[in-house]
Amino acid sequence: MTRTLDAFALSKLRGLEARSLRRTLQPTHRIDGLWVERGGQRLRSFSCNDYLGLAHHPQVRSAAVGAIEDFGAGAGASRLVTGDHPLLGALEQELAAFKGTEASVVFGSGYLANLGIIPTFVGAGDLVLLDELAHSCMWAGARLSGALVLAFRHNDACDAHRLLETHRGHVANVLVATEGVFSMDGDLGEIAALSALCREQGAWLLVDDAHGLGVLSDGRGAGADLPQGRIDLHVGTLSKALGSYGAYVCTSRAAADLIVTRTRSLIYSTGLPPASAAAALAGLRTVIAEPELTRRPLRLARQFTRALALPEAQSAIVPIMLGEAHRALAAASDLERRGFLVAPIRAPTVPDGAARLRVAFTAKHEEQDVQELARAMKPWLAQPLARQLQMEAQA
Ligand SMILES: *Cc1c(COP(=O)(O)O)cnc(C)c1O
């Protein structure tokens, strides 16, 4: 039986809809880093990764506008052709200096970075060990590489060790990959333990610190307290705390040179626009100049977890676990009616049955915003089932 493309798409969508897993786009106007406008309603957002509010920072905006005026809107070609604007090199130097590595390479996005970097270093006959909760783009890069890809239990370096021992004899190179801050759970990666394991076993460590840069250790990110060289590949994005767009890997000179020579998502994709590079550079300089600003998101997240007697926040991200997808949707719409935008997260972003609200705190929130959200959230925490059903019926 042949089916039209539309018939196929519609039947897929019906199935997803029945499980509360259909997704839709919702035009949203981010007004100032705190307030957003959606469907004619003004909401206080707890769903932005712009942790320091730098997307709207005067210096970041004017750096972007200035770069557009001076250099135009687009890069015009791959970095390997004519798209390597000098601002990218300047940004790479400052990122490498900030992270304490020899070199850095800037990419079009975090997704492109992981998608391209992993296959640059491992392939058929090699092994990639990923934390089971690693971001989709690390899985995509690992699978694309052709290496054997195995998951270790979340933050369990012993499990990673066990897998390494089992397979070490049959593979050439081993890459272990984890996150600095887990994007949907807000907990920190076991970087010190994994780094020790990698050194002992001659494996390489990749840490994606998309949510740690700008937020942990005065902005320096996860693993900032480890001796230099313990993380082989520090990946991060320019699109979260730095308020811009694009991504980076900080690493050794040799590894950076190989990436420039071989990484397909760098070679065959247009360079980052000069305005994004200029904004990221201004964002990075703000992070360096204002350590007090970088401490705010975590401080506010901890006020929230204290107010609700939840385990203490370790990052700017606090998950409110709700179980089934429809409950996360109901809680999000209840909060939206109360003027808060809090993203519901469902499968396949998180495991089935582990749907949640993902609350993200930023330097733009005030203590009062945090207390008001905690009050509105309270009924959704640990309530008797009857009350939950009643609230869902109303939502
Ligand atoms: C957001 C995110 C990415 C993707 O970065 P983009 O620059 O938005 O493509 C990659 N890894 C992790 C862990 C993320 O949270």
Side-chain angles (χ1 to χ4, degrees), residues 200-257:
E200 176 196 304
Q201 299 276 336
W204 306 322
L205 180 63
L206 181 155
V207 176
D208 181 345
D209 198 28
H211 300 274
L213 183 83
V215 174
L216 301 177
S217 299
D218 286 353
R220 289 176 304 138
D225 46 351
L226 289 181
Q228 277 184 26
R230 295 293 167 85
I231 298 172
D232 297 287
L233 297 155
H234 303 250
V235 174
T237 177
L238 310 173
S239 62
K240 288 167 184 161
L242 296 190
S244 180
Y245 195 73
Y248 65 85
V249 56
C250 288
T251 185
S252 66
R253 181 76 264 158
D257 289 348

Side-chain angles (χ1 to χ4, degrees), residues 15 31-32 45 67 84 141 152 169 182 242 274 393:
I31 296 166
D32 61 3
S45 175
D84 189 32
F152 57 91
F182 281 86
L242 296 190

Side-chain angles (χ1 to χ4, degrees), residues 109-111 114 135 137 179 183 208 210-211 237 239-240 246-247:
S109 76
Y111 204 103
N114 281 318
H135 192 271
C137 60
E179 298 189 20
S183 57
D208 181 345
H211 300 274
T237 177
S239 62
K240 288 167 184 161

